[in-house]
Amino acid sequence: MLSYTLNHLDQLESEAIFVLREAAAQFEKPVLLFSGGKDSIVMTHLAKKAFWPAKLPFPLMHVDTGHNFPETIVYRDSLVSQMGAKLVVASVQESIDSGKAVEEKGPNASRNALQTITLLDAIEKHGFDACFGGARRDEEKARAKERFFSHRDEFGQWDPKNQRPELWNLFNGRKLPGEHFRVFPLSNWTEMDVWQYIKKEELDLPSLYFSHRRPVIRRAGVILAATEFITLQSGENPEELQIRFRTIGDATCTGAVESAAASLDEIIQEVAASRSTERGTRADDKRSETAMEDRKRQGYF
């Protein structure tokens, strides 16, 4: 009699696919939040597997700050075209132009926090009742408190003390009108799991994740790409370094690491030896001790 034992990546894949299918069954109009980062890429790949050979039963949505790395947008459009998926772009610039969001001022200004306003507006506009996110519990202490099905009230707010139990993988998606859920299929994955899965599945990634030379500045312990969106402070002079990004987001707050890792094997070795989390390179998480939890309470991803 043949027996088959799942390895840990197979188990994580099965769990994520189960969550994706369960959410698609419980909610009427879900959407997958796609940033062009590795976690959302893996989640999109899992969704493709979950509903194959049919097309995705929900669209992808990118909350576009307007301060993106060009490589991210090129990758996003290519992937959407290859999959034949529907893409919804929610624009932070439109939120600013309409007066719903106010652009930050000063040398450390970022549009990252403004994504919350744009996201909540897009959820209401399109009637989405569930948003798939690529957040993982190992990323940050606030995210470690999340359930697979994360309830949000009519204002898009999250209450970490009032979450529903998920015993025996039973998910309660009941909600009142105007409320919605964030669904996190990758909750139990680690950064290492994501990279090993990317290698196993031979997934393409934006070139930003691999070592390359780029003009950067050092600010408050973070290496930032010297893009058109960065306002140089007095005494700051861009220097060219060999770097890569462990996480990708708004260019004004996405930090890099000095690295010579130019292949998946080298990245996996680097992650295994790292003593800092990937979000340790994010300038937006350094604004306060509770920066992530504060934003999540307001409706952040």
Side-chain angles (χ1 to χ4, degrees):
M1 181 177 178
L2 294 176
S3 63
Y4 180 68
T5 303
L6 296 177
N7 63 34
H8 83 285
L9 290 180
D10 293 330
Q11 291 173 344
L12 289 171
E13 179 188 72
S14 295
E15 178 183 68
I17 286 176
F18 173 76
V19 173
L20 284 159
R21 289 173 174 168
E22 185 69 18
Q26 288 200 39
F27 298 108
E28 295 180 4
K29 199 170 183 182
V31 66
L32 189 151
L33 300 177
F34 185 83
S35 67
K38 66 183 186 308
D39 299 312
S40 63
I41 291 168
V42 166
M43 189 168 55
T44 303
H45 179 74
L46 289 164
K48 181 179 177 180
K49 277 194 166 187
F51 303 103
W52 182 265
K55 290 186 177 182
L56 294 187
F58 40 75
L60 309 183
M61 180 164 72
H62 180 207
V63 181
D64 182 2
T65 66
H67 291 171
N68 300 286
F69 292 100
E71 296 92 331
T72 304
I73 301 302
V74 170
Y75 181 93
R76 179 199 72 185
D77 293 343
S78 175
L79 181 67
V80 168
S81 176
Q82 290 174 16
M83 292 185 64
K86 179 182 178 182
L87 175 67
V88 175
V89 177
S91 170
V92 171
Q93 184 63 56
E94 290 183 6
S95 297
I96 294 171
D97 293 342
S98 67
K100 293 182 177 180
V102 178
E103 186 129 39
E104 292 183 359
K105 305 296 182 183
N108 292 314
S110 172
R111 290 183 173 183
N112 195 57
L114 304 186
Q115 292 179 90
T116 299
I117 298 169
T118 305
L119 173 62
L120 293 177
D121 277 351
I123 290 172
E124 182 178 5
K125 175 183 176 180
H126 297 281
F128 296 130
D129 56 358
C131 300
F132 294 108
R136 310 186 320 270
R137 293 188 179 118
D138 79 318
E139 287 181 284
E140 207 273 343
K141 57 188 178 183
R143 286 183 167 171
K145 302 176 183 180
E146 286 281 15
R147 302 287 196 266
F148 282 106
F149 277 32
S150 179
H151 174 262
R152 303 299 171 106
D153 65 18
E154 65 270 27
F155 301 106
Q157 296 175 323
W158 171 70
D159 182 359
K161 296 180 180 179
N162 187 26
Q163 297 190 83
R164 300 172 183 182
E166 294 180 340
L167 303 175
W168 305 292
N169 285 334
L170 296 175
F171 305 123
N172 181 356
R174 285 181 290 182
K175 56 182 175 54
L176 297 174
E179 298 178 343
H180 70 278
F181 277 77
R182 308 291 169 84
V183 180
F184 301 110
L186 305 185
S187 288
N188 288 333
W189 296 52
T190 66
E191 183 185 10
M192 178 63 79
D193 293 329
V194 170
W195 282 113
Q196 290 179 332
Y197 187 77
I198 288 169
K199 180 183 177 183
K200 173 178 174 287
E201 298 292 303
E202 300 180 344
L203 303 183
D204 291 327
L205 294 175
S207 59
L208 294 165
Y209 280 113
F210 301 94
S211 180
H212 59 285
R213 296 195 69 82
R214 178 186 292 267
V216 301
I217 59 169
R218 299 178 187 267
R219 180 180 294 176
V222 177
I223 299 174
L224 296 171
T227 65
E228 60 184 299
F229 313 118
I230 296 288
T231 301
L232 294 180
Q233 299 182 21
S234 176
E236 286 184 338
N237 295 303
E239 58 180 316
E240 191 170 278
L241 294 179
Q242 191 84 10
I243 58 100
R244 75 176 191 87
F245 294 90
R246 291 177 69 182
T247 178
I248 293 176
D250 189 290
T252 62
C253 61
T254 300
V257 293
E258 293 188 68
S259 172
S263 68
L264 288 176
D265 285 331
E266 291 172 342
I267 289 174
I268 288 171
Q269 290 176 8
E270 185 177 270
V271 170
S274 177
R275 291 298 176 265
S276 62
T277 67
E278 61 195 296
R279 291 199 68 91
T281 64
R282 299 277 302 203
D284 50 325
D285 287 352
K286 298 180 182 294
R287 293 194 171 193
S288 75
E289 286 288 330
T290 59
M292 173 62 78
E293 183 154 335
D294 292 342
R295 281 179 286 151
K296 287 176 67 62
R297 286 179 184 272
Q298 296 165 3
Y300 189 72
F301 297 175

